[in-house]
């Protein structure tokens, strides 16, 4: 099991989750499940993985906490008048997690936004990772600014005592358009004390160390 997080919103966590899930299920014959504990701005991420992996579960199991507005969860709860306690949030997520982790050989859990995004009552996305006791994979981008965002994300996770399996670069910008991207990747590995486990150029063109994700 892994928790897919990212350096920011829009970095491609769902896209990378679908690439990983599809490869494990359809090329390695592993029964893969998916959980999106909290989704804001609709239900599209959950629908994408439900369809990609042909999952039979109801959306309320795959995504136990859903908010309509594309906002940080804590703000969405407030503006939508969604009155729910943190304990109930955690209980709903844990019920789904227990159900899916018992059923599937491998479970991909995907976060919302970055690791320091508040869910509710000072409970951050990183606290959810810790609560579920999962190792994290950080999805990052290749272009300018990614070194800072990636290193800060890694530091935050480790300060919470969360194991980081590695970084996957999702090419939201074509590598050919990124000057000296190899140097950027080397810098992330050196200063982040982390391994880049793969690069995703497209749904068909990717190079990921799947064996490391299965360890």
């Amino acid at each position: 099991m892994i928790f897919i997080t990212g350096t920011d919103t829009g970095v491609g966590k769902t896209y990378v989750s679908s690439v990983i899930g599809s490869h494990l299920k359809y090329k390695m014959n592993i029964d893969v499940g998916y959980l999106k504990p909290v989704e804001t701005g609709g239900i599209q991420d959950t629908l994408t993985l439900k369809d990609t992996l042909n999952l039979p579960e109801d959306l309320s199991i795959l995504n136990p906490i859903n908010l309509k507005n594309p906002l940080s969860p804590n703000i969405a709860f407030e503006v939508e008048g969604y009155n729910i306690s943190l304990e109930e949030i955690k209980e709903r997520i844990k019920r789904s997690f227990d159900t899916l982790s018992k059923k599937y050989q491998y479970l991909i859990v995907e976060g919302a936004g970055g690791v320091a995004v508040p869910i509710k009552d000072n409970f951050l996305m990183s606290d959810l990772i810790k609560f579920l006791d999962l190792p994290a994979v950080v999805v990052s981008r290749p272009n300018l600014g990614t070194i800072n965002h990636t290193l800060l994300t890694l530091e935050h996770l480790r300060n919470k005592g969360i194991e980081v399996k590695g970084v996957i670069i999702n090419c939201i910008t074509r590598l050919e358009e990124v000057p000296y991207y190899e140097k950027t990747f080397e810098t992330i590995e050196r200063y982040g004390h982390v391994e880049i486990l793969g690069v995703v150029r497209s749904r068909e063109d990717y190079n990921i160390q799947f064996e490391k994700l299965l360890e």
Side-chain angles (χ1 to χ4, degrees):
M1 294 187 288
I2 53 169
F3 194 106
I4 301 290
T5 187
T7 55
D8 202 354
T9 296
V11 77
K13 297 184 296 296
T14 302
Y15 190 74
V16 170
S17 294
S18 68
V19 168
I20 292 172
S22 295
H23 186 96
L24 293 177
K25 180 168 185 174
Y26 301 116
K27 295 190 177 181
M28 298 180 70
N29 295 314
I30 295 172
D31 195 16
V32 181
Y34 172 81
L35 172 63
K36 179 88 172 183
V38 181
E39 182 167 359
T40 65
I43 196 76
Q44 189 56 52
D45 291 353
T46 308
L47 282 171
T48 296
L49 268 293
K50 179 177 171 62
D51 180 63
T52 299
L53 299 179
N54 193 26
L55 301 175
E57 286 81 14
D58 189 82
L59 288 171
S60 63
I61 297 176
L62 301 177
N63 173 225
I65 301 295
N66 184 266
L67 295 146
K68 297 181 179 65
N69 289 278
L71 302 166
S72 173
N74 66 309
I75 299 173
F77 277 123
E78 181 180 349
V79 301
E80 293 175 25
Y82 193 154
N83 188 19
I84 184 173
S85 69
L86 176 58
E87 286 309 307
E88 176 62 22
I89 291 170
K90 291 163 72 174
E91 286 172 11
R92 284 193 196 180
I93 292 171
K94 191 62 164 59
R95 280 197 299 269
S96 286
F97 177 77
D98 288 345
T99 298
L100 295 168
S101 61
K102 289 173 185 174
K103 177 178 179 179
Y104 291 98
Q105 290 177 271
Y106 195 82
L107 183 62
I108 297 171
V109 183
E110 183 196 339
V115 294
V117 168
I119 297 174
K120 191 178 177 71
D121 299 343
N122 298 318
F123 190 75
L124 307 181
M125 195 60 61
S126 54
D127 295 317
L128 176 59
I129 303 173
K130 187 72 174 175
F131 172 69
L132 296 175
D133 193 25
L134 292 175
V137 170
V138 176
V139 177
S140 188
R141 54 191 173 82
N143 43 321
L144 190 63
T146 194
I147 293 172
N148 178 69
H149 289 130
T150 306
L151 296 185
L152 286 174
T153 299
L154 294 170
E155 181 178 9
H156 180 95
L157 288 168
R158 288 168 177 155
N159 284 342
K160 293 279 186 175
I162 296 166
E163 176 193 352
V164 179
K165 279 190 174 287
V167 173
I168 292 177
I169 305 293
N170 183 42
C171 296
I172 58 175
T173 302
R174 293 176 65 249
L175 285 185
E176 293 75 15
E177 299 174 5
V178 181
Y180 304 107
Y181 68 84
E182 301 97 334
K183 298 292 184 183
T184 294
F185 297 172
E186 290 171 9
T187 300
I188 288 171
E189 289 189 316
R190 184 186 319 133
Y191 289 92
H193 307 289
V194 71
E195 184 176 4
I196 292 179
L197 298 178
V199 176
V200 176
R201 291 174 179 262
S202 72
R203 196 170 296 279
E204 293 76 31
D205 185 4
Y206 54 87
N207 180 19
I208 297 173
Q209 298 182 53
F210 289 97
E211 68 281 359
K212 295 288 182 69
L213 299 181
L214 295 171
E215 289 178 353

